[in-house]
Amino acid sequence: MSDAFAFNETYRARAETIVARYPEGRQQSAVIPLLDLAQRQAGGWLPTEALEHVASYLDMPKIRVLEVASFYSMFNLEPVGKNFVQLCRTTPCWLRGSDDLRAVAKDVTGCGLGETSDDGTFTVVEVECLGACCNAPMVQINDEYYEDLTADSFKAVLEALKRGETPKPGSQAGRAGSEPTGDRATLTGAGEGE
Amino acid sequence: MPTVTVDGVEIEVPAGVTALQACEMAGVEIPRFCYHERLSVAGNCRMCLVEVSPGPPKPAASCALPVADGMEIKTDTEMVKKARNGVMEFLLINHPLDCPICDQGGECDLQDQAMAYGRDGSRFEEHKRAVKDKHMGPLVKTIMTRCIHCTRCVRFATEIAGVPELGLLGRGEHAEITTYLEKSLDSELSANVIDLCPVGALTSKPYAFVSRPWELSKTESIDVLDAVGAAIRVDARQTEVLRVLPRLNEDVNEEWLGDKSRYACDALSRQRLDRPYVRRDGKLAEASWDEAFAAIAEKMKGLDGSRIAAIAGDLCDAESMFSLKGLMDSVGSPNLDCRQDGAKLPTGTRAGYLMNTTIAGLETADAVLLVGTNPRWEAPLVNTRLRKAWLQGGAAIAAVGPQIDLTYPCDNLGAGPDTLKAIADGSHPFAETLKGAERPVVIVGMGALAREDGDAVLASARALADNCNVVRDGWNGFNVLHTAAARVGGLDLGFVPGEGGCDVAGIVSGAAAGDIELVYLLGADEIDTSGLGDAFVVYQGHHGDAGAHRADVILPGAAYTEKNGTYVNTEGRVQLGRQAVQPPGDAREDWSIIRALSGVLGAKLDYVTLGDVRAALSAANPVFDQVDQVQPASWDAFGAAGEMDAAPFESPVANYYMTDPISRASETMAECTREFVSGNGERTGTDG
């Protein structure tokens, strides 16, 4: 079974680099990064063959690899669409309107939570905090964060993706990083902070 | 040695023990689910919480807390009680409250501990989670909704059984125990996870809904389905043995038991010989004991002793073999043998046919050479010791013989006698490994000895032991691994050919040639029964197997759960099996059958009770006096050097699940064979 999947040349080279970071006999420590490589190569999810390839690559029991892969929500054990949309639903994003984003996602992609669109373009899932609360609400699509979303801007992002374009990641409200919106509110005059 | 205080009582404990162990040493019981003394510490059930000072003012999991000098442990405070009550309430959130329909009921850790720490009602009003049951094979039934994720089964499979196929998938609320892709747990020790499971998630499939524990009468006995002699408890209801469980015996089986020894017991009520039979006009017909004895007496009348022979089988108790030997002596027959498989085991020197290192001693070995044996199938509990030697001591393990996955790395050095010879004469590098080891071990299996050149192989193994310094002061690393529970006992009491007598091969060929006219098979089914020619065959035993089919007279005996008997295991440990139920129908204890027959034949054996037999047995060989003990055997000469055939060694056990008349009659073992041995493990939708 494990013949069906094997790291291609690029990924094999990266796998070797990663494994070499660990002491001799501790190569199993590399299981998480290697699963990530395998997931990238396999198209965003981990088929059984990929899991078994990682297991044999690291000389560890298959069940141990499956334990790791099933523990972390970043690993997908079912096929996903080309754009893997992860809606943050934790409190800050929720207070800032993540429910609206969910409705937009359903509108544009046709996917409810946990569903993949028929054409395989989108998969929409709900996730816990992704650590970008300053720019709530946000979603992660594949490796990119899209932040400061509104129903309209999220719709634009999804539609661009639908057309095959790559919308600009980051804040959709024009912010750089997580600076305040509007003018500076602190350190504006001499003597402040004394 | 640190001194700790447990509930106000000061005790001194060995360094490195945990708070839980310290409490046990102080006689304080700590509730637990995940902690098990033979497995690694997981610390995930949180039931063993105690209060510890100095330390943070919160309960601590005692199973994972090493003691420190001056530590004060409190197990009876309000905080501890409240903490444990809390843990119990959380455990019961998702655990179904279905004890009345749960097979674990009555012997359930969770049920017991809920009596001490549980509430009288549930405060949980939300939905409980439900988990799909998993397929784990023909022995382990799963009701996974009951699982509390202690991971004892996962740790057992990984650490003890050496088959890392079980795991905990997912996390939190969605965590589930499963085998990889829901394949059967392919281990000879798989059913031990049932004993380990503290709740009713993993229960016994063959025993499902058969009985409640309080309905069973429990008899402590000894297993005879391999030569390890594991301590067992036979659970029976009225006349039927319903299950067999392991008992604790640190020297032999620790607390584990092989699947065959545990589950072949369903065969004890199948294919039984429950009345005497006599062959009339080519057909076996039911008969009375008198008729059966008369038929034998008539055949024996005037027959010279040299034309009579006896073969003892693999499951015989020492008393019956001793009685039969007495009978053979009194009719003047030298033709008797207890080595059905033709193993060339020495008859005089005890060290030449024992596991001298002892089973527990194996785990201290640092270099091991297996010769013609597959311990995983011949003696799974010996294999766990070897695995432990590798796991804990990093023992170098190598094999001459079949290449098998033994659950630990094993270097296959070669297939047959040539390699053995090379190691013996020092030309093979492994000889240096053995010489350089502190506690070297050589294990010779029946695959090396049960062949024409077995004598020469044994001599070569002996030479290897001498040359590689395997036997030294205070350490005897030479071992013979038997496959038959009766074998060592038979050799100890001298159930071997007398002066000028025939061994098994001689008896069979003699019978074929017509030189031997009467063959007495005492539970012997593993010989070539079709090759006995026109000889008159008496079969005494408990199952309708090969021997009974060939027999002219069948004398129904008792199986190991139906008689008190003495067995000597592969390390030479004399152990007493005890009667749990009555033999079925007209069947009788075996020694008493032979004694009764001796009366009819006019060669009456002079004992009346089992005690008399045992006294005579002890007089014949004082070893039998030392029950439950291993007598070190002196390293005297054995084996006869000679030419060895180059043919590779092969394990005598082709199918772990069916090796004897009992396991061959077992439905459960047949299912295991289908699942694990015949390779038909894949289930289809129509399998049900």
Side-chain angles (χ1 to χ4, degrees), chain A residues 183-190 192:
Chain A
D183 285 337
R184 229 162 47 164
T186 55
L187 297 176
T188 51
E192 198 171 327

Side-chain angles (χ1 to χ4, degrees), chain A residues 1 48 51-52 61-64 66-67 70-73, chain B residues 154 158 164-171 178-181:
Chain A
M1 273 233 286
T48 303
L51 287 169
E52 292 182 358
K62 297 169 197 164
I63 186 78
R64 295 282 98 81
L66 184 58
E67 281 180 330
S70 64
F71 185 87
Y72 292 103
S73 57
Chain B
V154 176
T158 308
E165 293 171 5
L166 267 175
L168 178 80
L169 302 190
R171 64 200 293 183
T178 183
T179 49
Y180 184 70
L181 304 181

Side-chain angles (χ1 to χ4, degrees), chain B residues 189 226 228 230 252-253 256-258 359 375 379-385:
Chain B
L189 297 165
D226 60 26
V228 171
V252 180
N253 57 316
W256 317 125
L257 191 60
I359 293 171
L381 296 167
V382 166
N383 203 46
T384 58
R385 301 284 187 161

